[in-house]
Amino acid sequence: KSILRGSYSQLNHPASPPLVQYLPGTSILMAPLVGIFPNSFLPCQLLSIALVLGSLFLFCFCFSQELTPKALIPSLFFLAFNPLTVSLSGTILSEIPYLFLTMIVFYLAKSRWSSSKLSDWSILAGLTAMTFYFRPIGLTFVFALPASLAIEKRYKTAGYCLFLSLVLCSIFPTINQLQAGISLTYFGEFIDAF
């Protein structure tokens, strides 16, 4: 709702401070549905279910060449019916959109891996950055893509992807730092564990 009002802030606080404890990916994804159906969670839940089904389809499409049917069918079964997927499939949380986005990243990386077009790598770098905006663990994609390219000695493409992804990932934490004096609470929580 705050995104629809032009900010990303806490609506239940009188001062409406910026939301530094949640990444905005899921909120941005759900905002159009909340705008169209302001009094119902059902459209957002249906989108979540559709994203689970889309993730399963992309999984099959992406890995059908690497996995034999004897491996693909059980893998798909365990992806579809594991307790985490089942329990989160109709919820309005970031895990399901993140799963769908990771399947898109895998599919595009696989289909464009031999490309030398800068546009293909810009899209992939942007998508890896987008995974971060849904879940902080998405940073693994930001580093895994250039690392995989570097292993193949494609250093220029690896550097470009890393640079672009990090720039895109830094936008939200930088805005938070300027507005609230803290980039993301995830970083503090991670450091506190040590």
Side-chain angles (χ1 to χ4, degrees), residues 50-187:
L51 292 176
V52 169
L53 296 174
S55 299
L56 298 173
F57 172 78
L58 284 171
F59 179 84
C60 286
F61 195 71
C62 191
F63 297 109
S64 61
Q65 292 177 348
E66 282 81 16
L67 299 173
T68 65
K70 286 183 179 181
L72 181 64
I73 292 169
S75 298
L76 181 62
F77 179 83
F78 286 119
L79 176 61
F81 295 107
N82 77 68
L84 192 59
T85 303
V86 172
S87 66
L88 294 176
S89 62
T91 61
I92 308 168
L93 295 170
S94 60
E95 286 82 355
I96 297 302
Y98 176 76
L99 172 64
F100 182 73
L101 188 56
T102 60
M103 290 293 107
I104 291 174
V105 168
F106 278 123
Y107 170 73
L108 286 178
K110 185 178 172 190
S111 65
R112 304 281 191 253
W113 196 254
S114 60
S115 175
S116 58
K117 291 182 186 176
L118 195 59
S119 60
D120 287 337
W121 294 106
S122 297
I123 291 168
L124 260 171
L127 285 171
T128 61
M130 196 184 295
T131 63
F132 164 72
Y133 281 98
F134 282 87
R135 304 283 302 160
I137 195 68
L139 281 176
T140 56
F141 282 100
V142 169
F143 294 105
L145 177 64
S148 299
L149 289 164
I151 288 170
E152 294 185 358
K153 298 183 178 16
R154 298 164 70 180
Y155 301 117
K156 185 176 177 182
T157 306
Y160 173 77
C161 288
L162 181 62
F163 175 76
L164 181 58
S165 295
L166 289 176
V167 166
L168 293 172
C169 286
S170 69
I171 294 171
F172 183 68
T174 301
I175 291 170
N176 283 349
Q177 188 67 44
L178 295 172
Q179 289 181 343
I182 184 169
S183 58
L184 281 174
T185 57
Y186 296 111
F187 300 142

